[in-house]
């Protein structure tokens, strides 16, 4: 019901397709990606979280993401791939994952990556995207439970990168407002006031 309300409001929305608390990637109710995406409206962006833990899970990740990418292409849903790395060399692992997915024919509409303060990381991301996928819509930076001030300070340092589009804010920022809005207790103008 909430999804239908949002469709008519021009609010961009993404929906998680993965099971939570699973290493690697596994889809909701252990269903195949085609079966899930087929049920979703095409205006809904599909978000897949990949928790990279070891190279042993990378083969499964690639196969699952490839099928998901094909399903999104077939049914017209944009795809966000969110990568979280547990590696000691987090930046290198994230960049290698982006390259690997591109080399395996996986072209997400967006990337969702952790907040990393080094501008060189974001420049490397931009170089990879420009090399492999001129149609990519850019990068969303994970808010990761940070306060508005922390995000503002960190985000201002990476805004010069043209591929960084914004911050993905979690429920801590919008949950109360969303509940009030969807229950028609407040309207658009009141959201801005609050």
């Amino acid at each position: 019901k909430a999804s239908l309300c949002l469709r008519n409001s021009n609010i961009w929305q993404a929906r998680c397709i993965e099971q939570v608390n699973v290493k690697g990637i596994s889809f909701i109710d252990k269903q195949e990606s085609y079966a899930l995406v087929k049920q979703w409206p095409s205006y809904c962006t599909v978000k897949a979280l990949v928790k990279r833990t070891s190279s042993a899970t990378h083969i499964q990740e690639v196969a699952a993401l490839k099928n998901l990418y094909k399903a999104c292409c077939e049914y017209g849903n944009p795809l966000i791939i969110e990568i979280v790395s547990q590696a000691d060399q987090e930046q290198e692992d994230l960049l290698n994952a982006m390259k690997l997915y591109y080399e395996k024919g996986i072209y997400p509409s967006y990337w969702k990556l952790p907040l990393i303060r080094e501008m060189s990381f974001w420049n490397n991301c931009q170089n990879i995207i420009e090399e492999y996928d001129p149609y990519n819509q850019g990068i969303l930076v994970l808010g990761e439970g940070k306060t508005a001030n922390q995000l503002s300070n960190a985000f201002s340092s990476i805004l010069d990168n043209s591929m960084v589009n914004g911050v993905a804010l979690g429920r801590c920022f919008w949950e109360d407002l969303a509940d009030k809005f969807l229950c028609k207790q407040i309207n658009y103008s009141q959201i801005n006031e609050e």
Side-chain angles (χ1 to χ4, degrees):
K1 183 176 178 182
S3 178
L4 292 175
C5 293
L6 290 175
R7 178 182 186 190
N8 296 324
S9 68
N10 293 324
I11 294 175
W12 182 81
Q13 62 177 305
R15 189 170 167 189
C16 301
I17 196 166
E18 75 279 348
Q19 284 186 219
V20 294
N21 300 323
V22 175
K23 290 182 180 180
I25 186 167
S26 181
F27 299 124
I28 298 169
D29 298 329
K30 298 185 179 178
Q31 292 187 48
E32 292 295 319
S33 54
Y34 270 89
L36 286 167
V37 175
K38 182 178 181 180
Q39 298 171 30
W40 293 7
S42 61
Y43 60 83
C44 187
T45 301
V46 176
K47 198 258 327 160
L49 169 63
V50 181
K51 294 180 182 176
R52 290 175 58 88
T53 54
S54 70
S55 58
T57 61
H58 297 344
I59 294 170
Q60 179 214 6
E61 290 167 14
V62 168
L65 289 173
K66 181 100 178 194
N67 285 334
L68 177 58
Y69 171 68
K70 288 179 181 177
C72 287
C73 289
E74 184 169 328
Y75 296 112
N77 297 73
L79 172 63
I80 296 175
I81 295 178
E82 175 181 350
I83 308 171
V84 176
S85 174
Q86 306 297 320
D88 292 335
Q89 302 294 322
E90 178 188 32
Q91 293 182 33
E92 185 179 328
D93 187 49
L94 294 169
L95 296 169
N96 288 337
M98 291 174 71
K99 286 181 192 175
L100 173 67
Y101 299 154
Y102 277 135
E103 288 168 357
K104 298 298 182 180
I106 302 163
Y107 297 88
S109 305
Y110 299 89
W111 293 100
K112 188 174 174 187
L113 302 172
L115 179 59
I116 293 175
R117 293 180 182 258
E118 288 84 12
M119 191 61 188
S120 60
F121 171 78
W122 300 104
N123 290 337
N124 288 333
C125 289
Q126 181 172 349
N127 292 340
I128 291 169
I129 292 169
E130 288 173 350
E131 178 183 346
Y132 288 95
D133 186 8
Y135 300 106
N136 182 275
Q137 300 296 304
I139 301 168
L140 300 173
V141 179
L142 285 163
E144 300 177 303
K146 296 193 175 20
T147 67
N149 285 339
Q150 289 171 322
L151 285 173
S152 177
N153 292 338
F155 195 60
S156 64
S157 67
I158 60 174
L159 270 179
D160 289 338
N161 187 290
S162 64
M163 294 307 298
V164 176
N165 290 339
V167 176
L169 299 175
R171 288 174 291 281
C172 62
F173 271 80
W174 55 261
E175 186 171 36
D176 290 338
L177 287 176
D179 286 344
K180 289 178 185 177
F181 177 76
L182 293 172
C183 292
K184 299 187 187 238
Q185 295 171 351
I186 60 174
N187 60 32
Y188 283 116
S189 60
Q190 291 168 313
I191 288 174
N192 289 332
E193 291 169 14
E194 288 198 34

